[in-house]
Amino acid sequence: MQFFSAFWRGPNRIKMFTDHLIPSAGHGDLPGGGAGVAQRPAQSRIVLPWAVLAVGIPLSVVLASLVRDSLENVARLRFERQTSEAKAVIEERIQSYTDVLYGLKAHFASIDSVSRLQFHRFVDSLDLPNRYPGFDLLSYAENVQNKDKEKFESSVRNDKSLDPRGYPDFAIKPPGNRPEYYVIAYLEPMQNFEFAFGLDIAANPEVKDTSRLLRTLQYQRDTGLLAASGLPLKLPTKAASIGLAMRLAVYRTGMPVDTVEQRRAAYIGSVGAGFDVAKLMDKVLAPDLVPSLHFKMYDAGSAGGRAPATAAPVRRLLYDSNGDIEKITINADAGPALASDDHTLRRSLSFTIGGRMWDVDFSSPRELVAEPIERSLPAVVLIGTLLITVLLFIVLYSLASSRSRAVAMAADITKDLHASNVQLLAMSRQLVDLQEAERRNFARELHDQIGQNLTALSINIDILKAELAADHAVDAAADVSASGNKHRKRLENLTTLVESTTSAIENVMSDLRPPMLDDYGLLPALQWYGEEFANRTNIRVDVHGNEKMPRLAAGMEIALFRITQEALNNVAKHAQAGAVKISLESGEGHCVLTIADNGIGPGTARAADSRRRHGMGMVTMRERTQAIGGSFDFGPAPGGGSQVTVRAPY
């Protein structure tokens, strides 16, 4: 389309063309001229219309393809934002449930010996059916040595604090002598879960590899960390439900737990919870996301370095938001997440809970992610450009057939083509603005939601550290500050983690929409980005320009900044350069941006191959330049290497 725009830039060009293609009657009177013109084949007069048709149709397809690709990028960004939000909500839901276990552990730590009645009252006060419907049960498993087995069974049988009849038939199951037992002694609710009362969870007959259970229990005993089961279980009381278990060690009140040996000596048992995964995930997503976003949750194995390798490295399906629970096979490997295809967007995100890595695979039909107008825009562009091409063909064919009609229609053609160019330029700008708006919205949502939450978390941690420091001063006089030191170290670790996460989010927001560009203008933004690029790639970047140059229009600044980003990206990938020079200068009514490197340059065979590989980068830079009415040039730099030059009017 640029060829036609340049060719048909004004009425004079059309007149020159028609005068050359279709001779006037007076030409036949010139000496020796009339006979030559009269003998010219008629077919030569209509070559250009057919050339327009042959070139215009492929160009229309290419333009529609570029529009489609740009809209797919916008849809991908929207899908990634939605999945990130959904993953955060899912992780927060699971974390809120695990917090109940920490509260139950604190209850045991606050009382020397928690009775069955006290355990029942505490669990009853949690109001699990209404506040935490995903819980199936809460339990306490006591660590019993073989020598104390009979004494323990007798004490449970005679315990009438909750049931006046006691539990005369109580016995540790499965039967048999073992060095020690991890017996579920307290269980709420008891109804429908009587099979678990007295169960030695380290020797659960429903699990083939009981050694894995024992290692998991020993892990939570030795570390004091939350441990999740490495294998989902079909609940015996619910044929269409998948259950998970988590446990947390309980230590004897007043005993030190700073080392593994001390924790083993103080260990008395563990509190645990059984989850119904379907209820746990019920209504976890906002209603506006449910129709378009489908997700599956998997257990992906132990988190590296945090828990023992108790299971094979496979992904086991735990939950399907489509509700196909009956199709879940407990021990089967669910396989890796599938890549996106032409019809479906897919993304897999992970998080760690209880020493286990949990994967969440999201998918959504592309047509549900894109807005209705976005889905129809490529077809509109294709049809529109094809109509323009056909119109050009008809007009040029008419011009070639009749000089009189061509002269009469020349002015109208010029006007229509100019309007078409303006519309195509406006469409290109709208696509760029749409992409930048999506980036800006994503960066703002990161700042407003996650950034503010992290700031609030950091403030609360600082308050806790201050309070802990005051408590430590009091405890030091009593020589019981070991626990305070441990909590202070944990708070310091939390502070470091929050700061690291905040820094990472700030980097992502800067890449999406650099605040330096909005606040200070193009030149300071280029200087900042040059420093960031140099730190990432060890390629020296020198940025200089006219610091007194007036601020450019916002659209021009973001276009020149994105062109610089793409050019530096190409340098890092293909140029093999050690240094880059960026220049921003202003002249009379225009500005000039130059990016030059000292790499292998565009003249070598390897550089030519590089240009073929990153051709879309060049196309993107040219389109952004055209969108602001500028000119783009790529070639060798004066001192060797490659150079990108953009000239744009104010």
Side-chain angles (χ1 to χ4, degrees), residues 116 137 139-144 149 152-153 156 169-176 178 180-187 190 193-207 210 213 217 233-236 245 247 267 269-270:
R116 187 179 306 276
L137 72 157
S139 65
Y140 166 65
E142 187 166 336
N143 181 225
V144 179
K149 176 183 178 182
F152 170 76
E153 290 178 332
V156 174
D169 299 326
F170 176 83
I172 297 176
K173 52 188 177 184
R178 294 180 286 277
E180 59 180 345
Y181 307 86
Y182 299 83
V183 186
I184 295 182
Y186 299 168
L187 184 66
M190 181 74 76
F193 292 98
E194 293 86 351
F195 66 90
F197 186 45
L199 177 66
D200 180 2
I201 54 180
N204 189 346
E206 298 295 328
V207 178
T210 56
L213 296 176
L217 290 169
L233 297 173
K234 284 278 182 122
L235 299 177
R247 305 208 69 81
Y267 181 73
S270 62

Side-chain angles (χ1 to χ4, degrees), residues 341-523:
D341 53 38
D342 292 339
H343 305 289
T344 307
L345 291 171
R346 302 181 190 275
R347 190 185 186 199
S348 182
L349 298 175
S350 302
F351 58 92
T352 302
I353 295 290
R356 307 291 299 178
M357 185 67 69
W358 292 27
D359 290 348
V360 185
D361 289 358
F362 295 96
S363 63
S364 180
R366 288 181 182 270
E367 63 272 12
L368 295 183
V369 177
E371 298 292 338
I373 190 173
E374 295 175 354
R375 297 196 293 268
S376 60
L377 189 56
V380 171
V381 171
L382 178 61
I383 295 172
T385 52
L386 286 175
L387 288 176
I388 293 173
T389 300
V390 173
L391 177 62
L392 283 173
F393 170 77
I394 295 173
V395 171
L396 292 176
Y397 189 87
S398 298
L399 287 173
S401 303
S402 173
R403 181 179 183 277
S404 59
R405 283 185 293 169
V407 173
M409 297 176 64
D412 293 336
I413 295 173
T414 303
K415 181 179 178 180
D416 292 341
L417 290 175
H418 178 70
S420 298
N421 285 335
V422 171
Q423 291 175 357
L424 290 175
L425 183 60
M427 185 181 299
S428 178
R429 289 176 177 172
Q430 289 175 359
L431 288 175
V432 172
D433 292 343
L434 183 63
Q435 190 176 35
E436 290 300 326
E438 191 70 17
R439 290 171 178 263
R440 183 167 54 251
N441 292 337
F442 192 21
R444 182 172 63 250
E445 290 177 7
L446 277 177
H447 176 272
D448 293 345
Q449 297 182 13
I450 301 178
Q452 292 180 4
N453 290 344
L454 287 174
T455 301
L457 179 59
S458 179
I459 293 173
N460 287 330
I461 290 175
D462 290 338
I463 293 173
L464 288 175
K465 287 170 67 177
E467 293 176 352
L468 186 60
D471 294 340
H472 175 64
V474 175
D475 294 340
D479 195 23
V480 290
S481 62
S483 178
N485 289 332
K486 179 187 68 175
H487 294 316
R488 185 169 61 258
K489 290 178 180 178
R490 289 180 178 174
L491 286 175
E492 290 173 354
N493 291 337
L494 284 175
T495 302
T496 302
L497 179 59
V498 170
E499 292 174 351
S500 173
T501 305
T502 302
S503 176
I505 290 176
E506 290 175 350
N507 290 336
V508 172
M509 289 191 297
S510 297
D511 286 339
L512 288 172
R513 183 72 180 188
M516 183 74 69
L517 183 64
D518 294 330
D519 296 338
Y520 300 103
L522 181 58
L523 184 59

Side-chain angles (χ1 to χ4, degrees), residues 326-339:
E326 292 288 358
K327 298 181 180 179
I328 296 178
T329 302
I330 290 299
N331 294 308
D333 183 1
L338 298 177

Side-chain angles (χ1 to χ4, degrees), residues 24 36 68 86 96 179 198 211 330 336 505 570:
S24 64
R68 182 198 62 199
S96 68
S211 62
I330 290 299
I505 290 176
N570 286 343

